[in-house]
Amino acid sequence: MRDKKLNKSTRQRDNKFVLKTSLYILYCTFFIFLFISCDNKNYQPKPRGYFRIDLPQKEYVKLDTMKYYSFEYPAYSEITPDYYSLHEKEWINIEYPNHKGTIHISYKTIEDNLDKYLEDSYSMMIKHISRAVGIRDSVVINRDRKVYGLVYFLEGEGVASPLQFYLTDSVNHFMRGSLYFNVRTNNDSLAPVIDFITDDIRHLIETIEWK
């Protein structure tokens, strides 16, 4: 009987030892993995990625069907009338079907009211300031073509119109343009397209001629 009691006590002691040893190994393994994962000082979270955007080669054609002005526009875009202002025959849209972007062009003849057009242009731009984190402007002066104006670059992820401009000869002609996208506003992901169309707008400004 005594031997049986000793054997039973030994088994219990051994079982406790095995259990404690297993728990110790488990804890040690856990903390080793935790230490290794925390010791990687070079770890950096991956930046947010966006889908690749394919952009066409630059190519321009001349728009010479308007009564008061002409300019060169991208061959990969489409000229459409402003369907919301069909009575304004000189108002057009330069549409980018593959990128859901549109440059809205409006035109007015000046009749001693240049100040009003300048004020209206500024008011339309200022509506986007609340979502902008920065704004830059670029002055346009081309004395040979009698083209003067201002280009506004509005920076910020939620800005609906990241680029606006106006052009005038200060006597007879006044044109205003604004870039919009028919997609959810996210100018970080649209940055390559915005830069691409910005170059097209610069080309428009460089080639515009009054009639």
Side-chain angles (χ1 to χ4, degrees):
M1 286 293 295
R2 185 176 180 183
D3 291 340
K4 289 182 179 179
K5 289 182 178 180
L6 288 172
N7 290 337
K8 184 177 180 181
S9 175
T10 300
R11 285 197 301 271
Q12 289 176 344
R13 186 171 63 251
D14 290 342
N15 289 337
K16 288 181 180 180
F17 174 79
V18 171
L19 178 62
K20 287 181 179 180
T21 303
S22 299
L23 289 174
Y24 177 77
I25 293 173
L26 181 64
Y27 287 144
C28 287
T29 303
F30 171 77
F31 283 112
I32 288 173
F33 278 111
L34 182 63
F35 176 79
I36 292 174
S37 64
C38 293
D39 192 50
N40 187 1
K41 297 180 180 179
N42 295 324
Y43 171 78
Q44 291 182 349
K46 292 183 178 180
R48 184 191 302 177
Y50 299 108
F51 292 110
R52 177 181 175 181
I53 301 175
D54 293 323
L55 301 171
Q57 292 293 322
K58 293 293 185 184
E59 182 181 356
Y60 298 98
V61 294
K62 188 170 184 178
L63 173 67
D64 201 19
T65 58
M66 310 308 291
K67 183 177 180 180
Y68 295 107
Y69 59 84
S70 68
F71 56 72
E72 292 184 2
Y73 69 97
Y76 37 82
S77 66
E78 299 177 1
I79 300 293
T80 61
D82 188 329
Y83 295 106
Y84 296 100
S85 304
L86 290 177
H87 61 287
E88 298 284 0
K89 302 302 180 183
E90 300 292 306
W91 292 29
I92 60 172
N93 297 324
I94 305 174
E95 298 189 11
Y96 293 75
N98 293 335
H99 302 103
K100 309 295 184 183
T102 302
I103 305 171
H104 299 276
I105 301 291
S106 58
Y107 172 89
K108 287 288 188 179
T109 55
I110 298 174
E111 298 176 355
D112 295 325
N113 55 356
L114 177 59
D115 289 343
K116 179 181 183 304
Y117 292 152
L118 293 174
E119 184 178 346
D120 290 345
S121 182
Y122 179 78
S123 297
M124 292 178 185
M125 181 278 296
I126 208 72
K127 291 178 180 179
H128 301 276
I129 289 296
S130 61
R131 290 185 173 273
V133 297
I135 180 172
R136 296 179 292 112
D137 57 49
S138 177
V139 177
V140 177
I141 300 177
N142 188 323
R143 294 185 176 87
D144 294 336
R145 295 177 181 268
K146 296 182 180 179
V147 177
Y148 311 95
L150 198 62
V151 183
Y152 297 104
F153 303 92
L154 292 97
E155 301 169 349
E157 184 176 342
V159 176
S161 178
L163 191 153
Q164 299 189 21
F165 66 93
Y166 70 79
L167 304 170
T168 180
D169 67 346
S170 73
V171 179
N172 299 307
H173 308 283
F174 187 88
M175 174 185 289
R176 182 178 180 275
S178 56
L179 172 62
Y180 284 86
F181 289 92
N182 188 27
V183 293
R184 182 179 178 181
T185 304
N186 187 341
N187 291 344
D188 287 345
S189 62
L190 289 173
V193 180
I194 293 174
D195 292 341
F196 184 79
I197 297 178
T198 296
D199 289 339
D200 293 341
I201 292 175
R202 289 195 179 102
H203 188 83
L204 181 158
I205 293 172
E206 291 171 357
T207 59
I208 189 170
E209 293 181 341
W210 309 116
K211 296 182 180 179

